[in-house]
Amino acid sequence: EVQLVESGGGLVKPGGSLRLSCAASGFNFNKEWMSWVRQAPGKGLEWVGRIKSNSDGETTDYAAPVRGRFTISRDDSKDTLFLQMSSLKVEDTAVYYCTRDLFCISTTCYSHNWYDPWGQGTQVTVSS
Amino acid sequence: DIQMTQSPSSLSASVGDRVTITCRASQSIDNFVNWYQQKSGKAPKILIYAASSLQGGVPVRFSGGGFGTDFTLTISSLQPEDFATYYCQQSYSIPRTFGQGTRVEIK
């Protein structure tokens, strides 16, 4: 079964740091691009950033609100994705989801991706 | 950044109704639109990718269409399990962006 399980969320003070993890199983993690998406309380979905596969240089991209404060990384030996968050702000309070960037169904591939599957999410609360 | 605007923001409908949600992109994005369903307290789930392709396992009452800037998600006959929030998302450029969501409620 293809599965993603996030961990590491919690309560942190403004200006603090937190590292989220996402354990992947059921697919070839090292070949896939991965992303983080967050959802503030009562709000919609917001893309946080992505990391490409090792064969594509592990290049990262970030949304403007988190660029320079958040870092996405991966450990392919452990099938795990990370989100290092620093200089946290109250507005970073959200449920954080990890998800896979899917480009192919069976043998048909596209130039653009969609997100599947998603983890169950982990809550991050930034408050004094 | 590409803005994705959904309408309506919410709607009330009855079981068996045909429901259509629209999504407009701020610039042309070919068919690079995906649709997700999110039930309360749960992670989103992919329904439609590449504007009109049905993800495996998704009921055929769901369909998508459109190209360029205007896209639709249609539920042909609303079922009790379809009451949820639906999001469009563009994968044309970085940053990826989502619509604000459409909440489908029971009438």
Side-chain angles (χ1 to χ4, degrees):
Chain A
E1 178 191 8
V2 176
Q3 192 173 13
L4 298 169
V5 178
E6 301 97 336
S7 60
L11 175 63
V12 61
K13 288 181 166 46
S17 298
L18 205 59
R19 188 175 86 151
L20 306 184
S21 299
C22 171
S25 59
F27 63 98
N28 291 324
F29 178 78
N30 64 318
K31 296 183 184 298
E32 306 287 358
W33 298 13
M34 300 294 295
S35 292
W36 289 94
V37 175
R38 68 183 180 182
Q39 186 168 36
K43 302 297 185 181
L45 301 169
E46 180 184 23
W47 181 80
V48 172
R50 73 170 180 196
I51 185 166
K52 297 181 181 180
S53 62
N54 179 266
S55 61
D56 290 316
E58 293 192 13
T59 306
T60 53
D61 294 286
Y62 299 95
V66 308
R67 194 175 299 130
R69 300 187 299 121
F70 289 13
T71 301
I72 298 173
S73 61
R74 62 192 300 157
D75 183 342
D76 289 348
S77 69
K78 297 181 179 177
D79 290 348
T80 302
L81 176 72
F82 300 102
L83 179 64
Q84 177 68 49
M85 303 184 292
S86 60
S87 302
L88 281 161
K89 305 176 181 179
V90 170
E91 52 265 39
D92 294 320
T93 295
V95 174
Y96 285 74
Y97 297 101
C98 70
T99 183
R100 177 179 62 172
D101 291 33
L102 204 56
F103 288 86
C104 302
I105 287 285
S106 186
T107 57
T108 303
C109 292
Y110 298 77
S111 60
H112 56 96
N113 74 288
W114 57 99
Y115 297 116
D116 182 59
W118 297 62
Q120 84 286 356
T122 188
Q123 175 70 48
V124 172
T125 301
V126 185
S127 174
S128 56
Chain B
D1 297 2
I2 296 174
Q3 307 303 315
M4 304 294 284
T5 303
Q6 288 181 234
S7 61
S9 295
S10 65
L11 65 90
S12 294
S14 301
V15 173
D17 284 354
R18 181 182 182 87
V19 169
T20 297
I21 298 167
T22 65
C23 181
R24 174 163 288 177
S26 59
Q27 67 179 73
S28 178
I29 56 172
D30 292 347
N31 70 332
F32 296 176
V33 160
N34 309 309
W35 289 94
Y36 302 86
Q37 176 193 65
Q38 186 179 33
K39 296 184 178 179
S40 181
K42 301 294 186 182
K45 168 190 164 186
I46 181 72
L47 296 175
I48 301 282
Y49 62 93
S52 60
S53 295
L54 193 67
Q55 176 75 355
V58 174
V60 296
R61 62 180 179 273
F62 290 93
S63 63
F67 190 89
T69 60
D70 295 315
F71 302 89
T72 58
L73 173 70
T74 298
I75 309 172
S76 60
S77 177
L78 199 65
Q79 297 302 300
E81 60 268 31
D82 300 336
F83 293 95
T85 300
Y86 295 84
Y87 295 92
C88 61
Q89 174 249 324
Q90 63 82 16
S91 56
Y92 185 84
S93 67
I94 294 293
R96 302 295 196 234
T97 47
F98 292 85
Q100 81 279 16
T102 295
R103 185 173 178 181
V104 177
E105 300 174 319
I106 301 172
K107 181 182 283 186

